[in-house]
Amino acid sequence: MGVIVAMPTAGACAALPGAVIAMAEVRGLTEEEMARDLLASGLIGVFIATAWTFAAEVGGCQAEGGSAASMAAAALVNMAGGTLPQSVAAASMAMQSMLGLICDPIANRVEAPCLGKNVMAAANALSCANMALAGFDQVIPLDEVIATAKLVSTQMPRELRCTALGGLSITPTSIAIEKKLACRKTSCACG
Ligand code: SF4
């Protein structure tokens, strides 16, 4: 609960910088080189934000984690010396793999399963970057995948779009944790 850099969102702020920093450390890249690689991811983010959204309330976690994975994949390809088409192909494949991902924060807090989803998004980005660098065919181009994610989000019930009304949010454990946290806040005896 300190300073959070939304990259591209607060809930999904670990996947992109985590993947880029780890790759930069492995490859011994400078901060300036890292900044340039982040620009590649930023361009993918512009395409997503322009055509769709980063908001989980609109698109579920595919809009947060999916966008983060897509942006990170493009940066990773750039860091490995890949081409522009390979970067965009990696971004497309990463988003394809996260279509339909719901948003269901446990206890109505952006902590779990968000952390795991960030780790999954980073691993997905790395895999898709490797696939693109190996010449794997994205099949569906990025703009069509973003349009598909947008369409899928209109087909998702609101319970699965960051309302804490579905998914893991309504498990007995999630409800118990939420109650406990609320009790702590009010210094209630049962907390
Ligand atoms: S589950 Fe929801 S709150 Fe958590 S990272 Fe995904 S979109 Fe954000």
Side-chain angles (χ1 to χ4, degrees), residues 49 67 90 121:
S67 298

Side-chain angles (χ1 to χ4, degrees), residues 52 59 61-63 66 92-102 124 144-153 156:
W52 184 37
C61 198
Q62 56 170 359
S92 172
M93 288 189 284
M95 181 67 91
Q96 288 178 36
S97 305
M98 299 185 83
L99 288 180
L101 192 66
I102 64 173
N124 174 32
E144 290 183 30
V145 176
I146 296 171
T148 302
K150 184 177 181 178
L151 179 62
V152 168
S153 64
M156 290 170 86

Side-chain angles (χ1 to χ4, degrees), residues 11-12 56 60-61 64 102-105 110 113-114 117-118 162:
C61 198
E64 285 204 25
I102 64 173
C103 171
D104 54 346
V110 184
C114 312
K117 287 179 175 178
N118 272 271
C162 213

Side-chain angles (χ1 to χ4, degrees), residues 55-61 101-105 108 152-170:
E57 293 81 356
V58 176
C61 198
L101 192 66
I102 64 173
C103 171
D104 54 346
N108 208 6
V152 168
S153 64
T154 65
Q155 295 165 332
M156 290 170 86
R158 75 181 186 97
E159 284 82 357
L160 305 179
R161 287 186 283 121
C162 213
T163 53
L165 295 173
L168 296 174
S169 303
I170 56 169

Side-chain angles (χ1 to χ4, degrees), residues 86 128-137:
Q86 286 173 328
C128 291
N130 276 327
M131 287 163 73
L133 288 165
F136 193 84
D137 184 0

